[in-house]
Amino acid sequence: MRWTKAFIPTLKETPADAEITSHKLLLRAGLVRKLAGGLYTFLPLGLRVLRKVEQIVREEMDRTGALEVLMPALQPPEIWRQSGRYETAADVLFKVRDRAKKEWIMSPTAEEVITTVAAAEINSYRQMPVNFYQVCVKFRDELRPRFGLMRAKEFIMKDAYSFDVSDEAAMVSYHKMYDAYKRIFDRCGLQNFPVEADTGVIGGNYSHEFMVPAETGENEVVYCEACGYAANIEKATSGIPKTAPREAGAAAEKFPTPGVVTIDALSKAPYSVPANRQIKTLVFIADSKPLLVLIRGDDQLNETKLVARTGAVQVRPADVKNEADLAHFKSLGAMPGSLGAVANVPSDWTVLADDRLHGANDMTTGANEDGFHLRNVSIERDIKVTKWCDLRTVSAGEPCAKCAKALKIRRAIEVGHVFKLGTKYSEKLNATFLAEDGSRKASFMGCYGIGVTRTLQAIIEQCNDKDGIIWPTLVAPYTVCITPLMVGADTAVMKLAEQIYAELSAKGVDVIIDDRDDRPGVKFKDADLVGFPIRVGIGEKSLANGEVELKRRGGQLVLVKAEDAVAKVLELIASASN
Ligand code: ATP
Ligand code: MG
């Protein structure tokens, strides 16, 4: 390719609305352009990278025996109603109507569609295991599209769906995908690691996310360097001890605490109740039903865990400004700050308590009377807990549950997600088969997603320096950039440049020649900004000694004999780590 024909609109200035490095570089290197928030056009160079990432994904999927298909982007709402996700996933669904006013859903994912296919086509155990995948545009009505391709309204996802005859067989399919994901992200040149994950609205019972460490990532990952434990903070647990039991005190006792409505205020004189002897009582509304949540005063509630434990579609904190919610506070008898679960809790309310409070006594909590608290509270004795569960957020430094070493926390970008689904979708959409023993069973499913466009941007977020992108070799838009510093048609410089270009092209190398009649500084800056892995610089001075410049992006410049240039470039490509 010739630069003058390639359409590479690089930008000197950083676009004002790009917040993170990779988003800025996507725009500055001329890879994409924004149409509207969360919607981007891939320009020729960006599309080349996208195709290369897709190629890696396809090769690794094919290698596992998964079969590529292509499902419609418009999906009938009926199958979403059947699976139950018409309601549970409602907030991200883009819906359109046709001329007959019939509603359609623009695919955010395709469990319902593929399960419909399986219901009709997979009738015998002999047809499994089978895994179908596709690489196509998905649509999600994100609350906050941002950071360029990272969280877009429309993005490219590889989604795969496995069907198996049993739970054990499904586990084998799951691990095949897990291993393939590792290879995909490694080949993309990404530092990446799998973590245990929450299963969210998709449902299911076992899941891992593939994470790319990055300060700008939207996820927090809890990990242990000693034993390798790693989990999304939405799922992570630690070996932190339960609340130390004390001498069981007398009955709970009410005492006045005028104006005290925070854990912090109660921990100060004259009350001096340490936060770890306080119970925080929170009111939530889960699918329009009130719910009490109890966690220790020094702990933070994890709302994702709360949603998972309730199994509700919508969970939100109760709000005193909302009239219906206010009635709930009134039935307890107090406003936030004086709430508790010892007295006045209506019998039909659910009370969820965090495991760390199990067996705790000598605790202090709100008295459900404004301006009063209760001390000497023994949870087991004084509170009717509906369900004990893990609700707290792990903090850095807590002991690992597996090996007791201190846990760490880092931010990361989720680039892929694998789920074991069980029979949730196959039962609802009647994807059953005739088993070997003659019985009819629902098939055991797994689903596996990779954000292809997010992965592309994650590569940039991880591989860059002050001058621009540093593409890993396998995904670079062009592997080699030849930069003649004088472009007149019959100069020796240009002749050699054309010769090397022709030879590398003939060897199948993706090569671009910067044939612009521009200053060397401009050309070098652009080559670094776009981030081609290898640059061949050809100038009059070095050529007078029969030499050309060879430079790996981010590496040292070396002079090589002009006649060795092609061989050296091929060596560099062969020795690239990905
Ligand atoms: P997130 O938690 O980031 O919203 P998700 O868990 O909803 O993502 P999945 O349903 O697991 O996403 O989708 C599979 C993959 O698709 C994700 O791992 C991610 O890489 C990508 N992805 C999801 N939503 C978006 C989006 N809005 N823009 C770009 N990529 C996305
Ligand atoms: Mg996910």
Side-chain angles (χ1 to χ4, degrees):
M1 176 55 77
R2 291 172 188 279
W3 197 299
T4 51
K5 303 277 189 301
F7 197 83
I8 309 175
T10 56
L11 304 173
K12 278 202 197 62
E13 305 298 325
T14 300
D17 60 348
E19 295 149 88
I20 63 173
T21 304
S22 53
H23 187 192
K24 290 174 190 163
L25 287 173
L26 269 174
L27 294 164
R28 285 194 54 214
L31 301 174
V32 304
R33 283 297 180 263
K34 176 173 160 180
L35 175 64
L39 300 173
Y40 290 83
T41 297
F42 275 82
L43 297 180
L45 218 54
L47 189 64
R48 288 184 70 84
V49 182
L50 182 61
R51 293 285 180 253
K52 289 192 177 185
V53 176
E54 287 177 352
Q55 178 65 21
I56 293 174
V57 169
R58 285 195 166 94
E59 282 172 14
E60 294 300 337
M61 284 296 116
D62 293 347
R63 199 213 289 246
T64 67
L67 302 169
E68 186 166 1
V69 296
L70 184 58
M71 294 177 252
L74 289 184
Q75 307 183 353
E78 290 75 19
I79 53 178
W80 283 80
R81 289 214 168 82
Q82 238 175 305
S83 73
R85 287 206 295 184
Y86 189 81
E87 288 81 27
T88 57
D91 55 344
V92 297
L93 297 182
F94 271 116
K95 297 168 184 168
V96 292
R97 286 189 185 276
D98 63 20
R99 64 183 71 216
K101 302 276 181 287
K102 176 172 166 41
E103 184 181 84
W104 299 91
I105 286 169
M106 297 179 72
S107 174
T109 175
E111 282 79 9
E112 283 80 359
V113 178
I114 198 71
T115 312
T116 304
V117 173
E121 307 299 332
I122 302 179
N123 291 309
S124 156
Y125 70 95
R126 289 175 208 275
Q127 293 170 281
M128 287 179 277
V130 65
N131 188 338
F132 299 110
Y133 79 93
Q134 62 173 351
V135 184
C136 62
V137 175
K138 303 291 186 304
F139 305 88
R140 290 190 188 181
D141 193 359
E142 296 283 353
L143 185 61
R144 257 178 303 152
R146 59 183 188 151
F147 297 162
L149 308 173
M150 290 287 190
R151 185 165 297 286
K153 283 192 164 77
E154 182 187 311
F155 58 97
I156 294 181
M157 196 208 286
K158 185 286 300 174
D159 43 332
Y161 307 89
S162 61
F163 294 85
D164 278 285
V165 296
S166 68
D167 197 46
E168 302 78 70
M171 204 62 198
V172 174
S173 297
Y174 182 91
H175 280 295
K176 265 194 191 169
M177 285 294 111
Y178 181 103
D179 294 343
Y181 274 36
K182 187 81 195 113
R183 283 196 300 272
I184 288 169
F185 298 121
D186 285 349
R187 288 182 66 192
C188 284
L190 278 169
Q191 213 193 99
N192 67 92
F193 58 102
V195 308
E196 293 175 17
D198 172 57
T199 46
V201 85
I202 222 161
N205 49 16
Y206 192 70
S207 141
H208 286 88
E209 285 162 338
F210 282 78
M211 293 289 185
V212 170
E215 270 315 302
T216 53
E218 292 189 289
N219 293 270
E220 280 187 287
V221 172
V222 176
Y223 66 103
C224 173
E225 276 171 341
C227 74
Y229 170 74
N232 192 312
I233 200 153
E234 298 171 342
K235 163 96 182 174
T237 55
S238 77
I240 200 159
K242 294 227 162 82
T243 310
R246 291 183 171 176
E247 198 68 8
E253 175 195 1
K254 191 160 85 174
F255 65 105
T257 50
V260 170
V261 292
T262 62
I263 301 284
D264 197 39
L266 198 60
S267 68
K268 299 215 166 94
Y271 311 104
S272 306
V273 183
N276 64 12
R277 300 309 306 185
Q278 299 188 40
I279 304 169
K280 210 180 320 192
T281 307
L282 305 162
V283 184
F284 276 83
I285 310 295
D287 289 347
S288 73
K289 279 209 187 120
L291 174 81
L292 274 189
V293 175
L294 311 184
I295 57 165
R296 221 168 82 164
D298 56 340
D299 279 338
Q300 292 303 320
L301 172 71
N302 187 304
E303 288 200 26
T304 307
K305 287 184 179 175
L306 177 62
V307 174
R309 307 299 176 257
T310 58
V313 173
Q314 199 208 35
V315 179
R316 60 171 180 84
D319 178 2
V320 287
K321 292 196 267 328
N322 172 324
E323 219 153 285
D325 293 1
L326 188 61
H328 294 314
F329 288 106
K330 284 189 175 150
S331 66
L332 287 171
M335 291 296 111
S338 303
L339 298 173
V342 176
N344 280 1
V345 181
S347 59
D348 59 334
W349 284 36
T350 301
V351 179
L352 293 185
D354 179 57
D355 285 332
R356 205 177 177 198
L357 288 169
H358 215 162
N361 51 18
D362 191 18
M363 301 297 287
T364 297
T365 184
N368 276 344
E369 186 177 338
D370 288 333
F372 289 90
H373 278 77
L374 293 171
R375 60 181 157 227
N376 280 334
V377 171
S378 167
I379 299 210
E380 242 80 4
R381 181 190 66 198
D382 300 326
I383 295 178
K384 214 172 134 226
V385 173
T386 320
K387 192 165 143 195
W388 289 98
C389 42
D390 169 40
L391 293 168
R392 65 185 291 278
T393 306
V394 170
S395 299
E398 289 178 14
C400 172
K402 293 196 172 150
C403 75
K405 293 274 164 28
L407 291 170
K408 293 189 168 178
I409 296 185
R410 61 156 66 151
R411 297 200 74 82
I413 301 162
E414 175 200 326
V415 286
H417 201 161
V418 290
F419 290 92
K420 211 159 139 273
L421 290 170
T423 54
K424 176 177 163 164
Y425 292 89
S426 49
E427 275 174 26
K428 291 196 164 136
L429 291 145
N430 302 319
T432 61
F433 65 98
L434 204 57
E436 208 171 353
D437 64 7
S439 67
R440 200 128 201 120
K441 284 186 182 157
S443 46
F444 291 79
M445 291 175 61
C447 71
Y448 319 92
I450 289 181
V452 180
T453 39
R454 186 186 282 181
T455 297
L456 184 159
Q457 193 174 334
I459 297 171
I460 303 176
E461 189 66 20
Q462 199 172 74
C463 309
N464 69 77
D465 65 10
K466 63 173 186 3
D467 298 320
I469 304 170
I470 308 176
W471 286 113
T473 311
L474 283 191
V475 294
Y478 291 96
T479 319
V480 181
C481 177
I482 300 173
T483 312
L485 300 181
M486 191 189 264
V487 297
D490 51 355
T491 63
V493 165
M494 199 60 194
K495 277 187 187 142
L496 179 62
E498 292 285 3
Q499 188 193 327
I500 295 175
Y501 174 66
E503 283 181 35
L504 285 173
S505 302
K507 297 268 183 208
V509 176
D510 267 340
V511 51
I512 184 166
I513 180 166
D514 190 350
D515 57 342
R516 292 176 298 171
D517 188 5
D518 244 324
R519 283 179 293 119
V522 171
K523 293 182 161 195
F524 287 148
K525 264 206 162 64
D526 271 353
D528 279 353
L529 174 61
V530 175
F532 304 110
I534 298 167
R535 192 178 74 204
V536 183
I538 308 171
E540 250 181 328
K541 255 198 223 151
S542 45
L543 195 55
N545 300 325
E547 290 175 324
V548 299
E549 296 173 353
L550 212 61
K551 192 171 178 297
R552 234 194 174 296
R553 176 70 177 82
Q556 291 295 320
L557 187 149
V558 290
L559 288 168
V560 300
K561 289 225 153 13
E563 60 269 29
D564 295 341
V566 169
K568 292 278 179 204
V569 167
L570 293 175
E571 252 172 56
L572 274 183
I573 295 173
S575 69
S577 61
N578 87 319

